[in-house]
């Protein structure tokens, strides 16, 4: 028996009292509620006219699709096709979303570039405006001369040079110079990303076998002591600054003094060669900086005497362009100079220090390898980081005890090493934090020098002895691979410098000796 409506065997069969027709209960209930009559005869019909029919349990037969293997395979195929169509639609939606996201990121990048360009133009405009404001007193003096200045032309000239009483007018770091510094920074940063470990760099195993090759007493015995050192890599020259107020240029290959530079009246605190050129810079406790130029005969002539500081000059550092340099002094200022003219373009002081009863002079300075930031150490144990373009103090590191005697940036541009009386500290410039501290000596001995080698793979420390470490990273260890003999009996080490590819190490000490450490020539040939 089949249902009169669906034509299939009913699961709950019911019959009509009036017509005797058989229906599926759920179907006839819905029809009666909608129309109130029999779907077959059209006569009025209510649920009271419907009686249930008792039958056995109805078992539905399987559909054709599930009754055979081909039918089941066809059903599975249909479901698989539907799934693949749905997956294809989702992939299309994902592709569209990626295109929209890429377009949005491109627009964001373009907007950032426009903002950066506008900020640069704003900063340049502010710099030009500041320069114009600094020159306004000079212009006013020229426009409105009084009787005294007209009667004394020399006095008028001095006033124009000095500007406001007690402060010279500086031309400032021009937009062209800032562009030059920025271009240099971009070029060096790009090169640094591709730079690999030099194949000619001395290995750590070779450094472990370094011994003292020679010792050279370079300065006077009346005032012994070497306090600064630098190396001219292409010419194999070593310059030393001494307490005897002279600087000495020494030929390492010949083992002879090539030139003695006299002119300072007090100790030479800093010596710096300018790249591969013939220029040599010296800073002194006599408050002066001298620019020397070498000749073909080996002699050096002083071409500039710079007298912009009012206290001891403690450090000199050269910019990567080799066209500019910075000097740092105990008068709490650092000066930015043009090398060719010897002109002080900017003299910068930090006015943020509230306690003026303790003057905070600069005791060390160094340019970052890329040249856009400058690091300075102070007599009050503070390390300050400066933006060279704006001459703004952008970061400071605290934690040392005593004056910061040395500061050195790693060639990778990420690490900064500082030395003071208490310890050597390593700083992560990316997170502006101290990640390692070496307390190497007792309270009676200070750390006088810390220096990364030119490749950035080794770092040397000078105090009562000389120690060489292999550079690691923030998480790994920085292993000490060599400790040279204790110099406390003959004079503590004051400065350390790595030679080309770390094939030798030059050390200056208070006993006026320049010591060269390395491998004997036969050992170098074997290695």
């Amino acid at each position: 028996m089949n249902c009169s409506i669906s034509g299939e065997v009913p699961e709950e069969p019911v019959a009509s009292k009036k017509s005797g027709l058989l229906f599926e209960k759920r179907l006839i209930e819905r029809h009666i509620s909608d129309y109130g009559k029999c779907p077959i005869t059209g006569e009025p019909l209510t649920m009271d006219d419907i009686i249930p029919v008792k039958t056995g349990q109805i078992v539905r037969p399987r559909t054709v699709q599930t009754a055979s293997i081909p039918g089941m395979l066809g059903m599975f195929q249909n479901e698989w096709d539907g799934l693949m169509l749905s997956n294809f639609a989702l992939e299309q939606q994902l592709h569209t979303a990626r295109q929209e996201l890429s377009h949005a990121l491109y627009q964001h990048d373009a907007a950032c570039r426009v903002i950066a360009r506008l900020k640069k133009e704003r900063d340049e405009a502010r710099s030009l405006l500041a320069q114009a404001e600094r020159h306004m007193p000079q212009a006013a003096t020229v426009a409105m001369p009084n009787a005294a200045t007209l009667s004394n032309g020399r006095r008028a000239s001095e006033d124009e040079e000095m500007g406001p009483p007690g402060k010279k007018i500086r031309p400032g770091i021009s937009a062209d110079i800032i562009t030059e510094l920025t271009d240099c920074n971009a070029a060096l940063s790009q090169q640094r990303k591709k730079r690999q470990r030099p194949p000619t760099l001395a290995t750590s195993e070779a450094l472990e076998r370094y011994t003292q090759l020679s010792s050279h007493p370079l300065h006077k015995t009346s005032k012994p002591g070497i306090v600064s050192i630098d190396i001219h890599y292409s010419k194999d020259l070593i310059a030393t600054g001494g307490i005897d107020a002279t600087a000495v240029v020494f030929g390492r290959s010949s083992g002879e003094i090539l030139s003695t530079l006299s002119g300072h009246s007090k100790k030479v605190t800093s010596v710096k060669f300018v790249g591969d050129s013939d220029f040599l810079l010296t800073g002194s406790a006599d408050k002066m900086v001298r620019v020397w130029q070498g000749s073909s005969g080996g002699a050096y002539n002083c071409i500039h005497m710079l007298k912009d500081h009012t206290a001891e000059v403690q450090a000199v550092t050269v910019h990567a362009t080799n066209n500019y340099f910075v000097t740092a002094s105990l008068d709490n200022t650092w000066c930015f100079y043009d090398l060719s003219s010897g002109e002080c373009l900017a003299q910068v002081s930090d006015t943020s220090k509230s306690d003026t009863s303790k003057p905070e002079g600069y005791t060390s300075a160094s340019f970052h390898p890329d040249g856009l930031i400058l690091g300075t150490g102070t007599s009050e144990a503070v390390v300050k980081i400066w933006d060279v373009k704006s001459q703004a103090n952008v970061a400071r590191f605290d934690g040392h005890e005593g004056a910061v005697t040395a500061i050195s940036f790693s060639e990778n541009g990420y690490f900064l090493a500082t030395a003071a009386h208490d310890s050597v500290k390593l700083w992560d410039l990316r997170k502006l934090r101290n990640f390692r501290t070496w307390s190497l000596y007792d309270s009676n001995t200070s750390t006088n020098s810390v220096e990364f080698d030119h490749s950035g793979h080794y770092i040397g420390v000078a105090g009562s002895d000389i120690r060489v470490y292999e550079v690691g990273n923030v998480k790994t260890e920085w292993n000490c691979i060599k400790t040279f003999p204790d110099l406390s009996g003959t004079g503590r080490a004051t400065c350390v410098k790595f030679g080309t590819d770390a094939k030798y190490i030059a050390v200056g000490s208070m006993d006026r000796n320049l010591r060269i450490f390395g491998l004997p020539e036969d050992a170098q040939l074997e290695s």
Side-chain angles (χ1 to χ4, degrees):
M1 62 183 175
N2 295 331
C3 174
S4 299
I5 298 178
S6 64
E8 297 180 355
V9 177
E11 293 182 359
E12 284 188 82
V14 293
S16 172
K17 295 179 182 179
K18 293 182 178 182
S19 62
L21 295 172
L22 187 68
F23 300 101
E24 173 72 56
K25 183 178 179 181
R26 60 184 177 76
L27 296 177
I28 192 63
E29 283 180 348
R30 185 182 303 169
H31 188 81
I32 292 174
S33 64
D34 292 340
Y35 303 104
K37 58 183 179 180
C38 179
I40 305 300
T41 62
E43 297 178 353
L45 189 67
T46 65
M47 290 303 297
D48 296 336
D49 299 326
I50 299 300
I51 58 176
V53 178
K54 295 183 178 180
T55 62
Q57 185 177 4
I58 304 299
V59 179
R60 290 180 173 274
R62 293 184 178 182
T63 62
V64 177
Q65 290 82 359
T66 60
S68 64
I69 291 177
M72 294 175 68
L73 292 175
M75 180 180 65
F76 292 154
Q77 183 65 48
N78 292 336
E79 292 181 357
W80 174 260
D81 292 342
L83 179 62
M84 290 300 101
L85 287 174
S86 176
N87 186 54
F88 177 73
L90 290 174
E91 288 183 350
Q92 283 187 319
Q93 294 176 2
L94 176 61
H95 180 67
T96 303
R98 283 178 173 173
Q99 286 183 324
E100 293 175 354
L101 178 60
S102 176
H103 183 67
L105 291 174
Y106 175 79
Q107 289 181 326
H108 177 266
D109 183 62
C112 289
R113 294 189 180 195
V114 171
I115 292 171
R117 190 184 74 247
L118 293 175
K119 285 184 176 180
K120 179 180 178 182
E121 293 176 355
R122 180 202 64 185
D123 293 340
E124 290 176 351
R126 285 178 175 176
S127 176
L128 293 174
L129 178 60
Q131 293 177 27
E133 289 177 348
R134 286 196 295 266
H135 283 76
M136 284 178 63
Q138 178 180 355
T141 303
V142 174
M144 296 182 293
N146 54 32
T149 55
L150 286 175
S151 62
N152 191 340
R154 183 178 179 183
R155 177 70 181 185
S157 175
E158 291 176 354
D159 288 344
E160 290 175 6
E161 179 183 352
M162 293 296 293
K167 185 176 181 181
K168 291 184 180 180
I169 296 176
R170 308 296 182 192
I173 303 177
S174 66
D176 292 339
I177 296 177
I178 291 177
T179 301
E180 181 183 359
L181 303 184
T182 304
D183 293 343
C184 176
N185 171 267
L188 292 177
S189 298
Q190 191 65 26
Q191 293 175 11
R192 183 165 290 105
K193 294 178 181 178
K194 302 177 181 178
R195 184 172 297 173
Q196 302 294 327
R197 180 188 176 100
T200 55
L201 183 69
T203 63
S204 58
E205 292 78 10
L207 278 166
E208 289 178 4
R209 295 184 286 130
Y210 278 16
T211 59
Q212 181 172 311
L213 301 179
S214 59
S215 179
H216 309 276
L218 300 185
H219 293 267
K220 298 176 183 178
T221 56
S222 58
K223 293 182 178 180
I226 296 173
V227 292
S228 58
I229 191 171
D230 197 28
I231 297 177
H232 196 302
Y233 294 101
S234 62
K235 295 184 178 181
D236 203 16
L237 303 177
I238 301 176
T240 59
I243 295 179
D244 62 354
T246 65
V248 172
V249 179
F250 176 81
R252 189 181 72 92
S253 301
S254 63
E256 297 177 351
I257 295 176
L258 303 181
S259 182
T260 299
L261 285 57
S262 301
H264 287 292
S265 59
K266 295 184 179 180
K267 66 179 178 180
V268 177
T269 56
S270 182
V271 290
K272 283 291 179 182
F273 285 109
V274 181
D276 292 332
S277 69
D278 296 321
F279 292 103
L280 174 65
L281 309 174
T282 58
S284 172
D286 64 3
K287 310 175 187 178
M288 292 180 58
V289 177
R290 289 176 178 259
V291 180
W292 308 81
Q293 187 171 19
S295 61
S296 57
Y300 280 78
N301 299 314
C302 180
I303 60 173
H304 296 301
M305 291 187 295
L306 313 175
K307 305 177 182 179
D308 299 280
H309 288 293
T310 58
E312 292 187 14
V313 176
Q314 292 284 296
V316 177
T317 178
V318 180
H319 189 267
T321 58
N322 294 324
N323 296 327
Y324 310 98
F325 64 96
V326 160
T327 61
S329 169
L330 290 179
D331 64 3
N332 195 29
T333 68
W334 58 267
C335 292
F336 185 95
Y337 287 94
D338 177 85
L339 177 65
S340 59
S341 64
E343 182 180 17
C344 178
L345 303 179
Q347 187 168 13
V348 182
S349 61
D350 188 1
T351 58
S352 61
K353 192 174 187 300
S354 58
D355 184 11
T356 57
S357 61
K358 296 181 179 179
E360 187 178 49
Y362 295 117
T363 51
S364 54
S366 179
F367 270 113
H368 186 273
D370 293 343
L372 281 188
I373 63 174
L374 173 73
T376 59
T378 73
S379 58
E380 295 297 311
V382 178
V383 179
K384 297 181 179 180
I385 306 299
W386 302 81
D387 179 358
V388 177
K389 293 190 296 184
S390 62
Q391 298 98 63
N393 182 201
V394 294
R396 59 178 285 153
F397 301 136
D398 299 286
H400 272 302
E401 293 179 7
V404 179
T405 54
I407 182 169
S408 179
F409 289 94
S410 172
E411 184 60 22
N412 66 11
Y414 300 145
F415 301 139
L416 170 66
T418 57
H421 178 79
D422 60 331
S423 61
V424 171
K425 290 184 179 291
L426 299 173
W427 310 86
D428 184 353
L429 296 176
R430 293 164 294 186
K431 297 184 179 180
L432 299 179
R433 67 181 183 89
N434 169 232
F435 66 91
R436 187 163 277 103
T437 298
W438 296 326
S439 299
L440 305 178
Y441 308 112
D442 57 35
S443 58
N444 297 323
T445 304
S446 64
T447 307
N448 299 315
S449 178
V450 61
E451 183 81 14
F452 284 97
D453 85 299
H454 188 65
S455 70
H457 288 83
Y458 302 111
I459 183 172
V461 180
S464 61
D465 56 19
I466 305 100
R467 305 187 188 195
V468 178
Y469 292 79
E470 189 169 17
V471 173
N473 56 42
V474 174
K475 295 182 179 179
T476 61
E477 289 295 325
W478 295 48
N479 297 319
C480 180
I481 57 180
K482 184 67 176 179
T483 300
F484 293 101
D486 189 345
L487 301 178
S488 59
T490 57
R492 67 181 186 277
T494 56
C495 43
V496 59
K497 194 81 175 180
F498 288 90
T500 305
D501 291 331
K503 292 296 178 60
Y504 68 93
I505 301 173
V507 176
S509 66
M510 289 302 292
D511 63 356
R512 77 187 182 94
N513 278 287
L514 169 65
R515 291 176 171 82
I516 307 296
F517 294 88
L519 288 176
E521 291 184 4
D522 56 346
Q524 292 183 19
L525 293 175
E526 291 175 4
S527 63

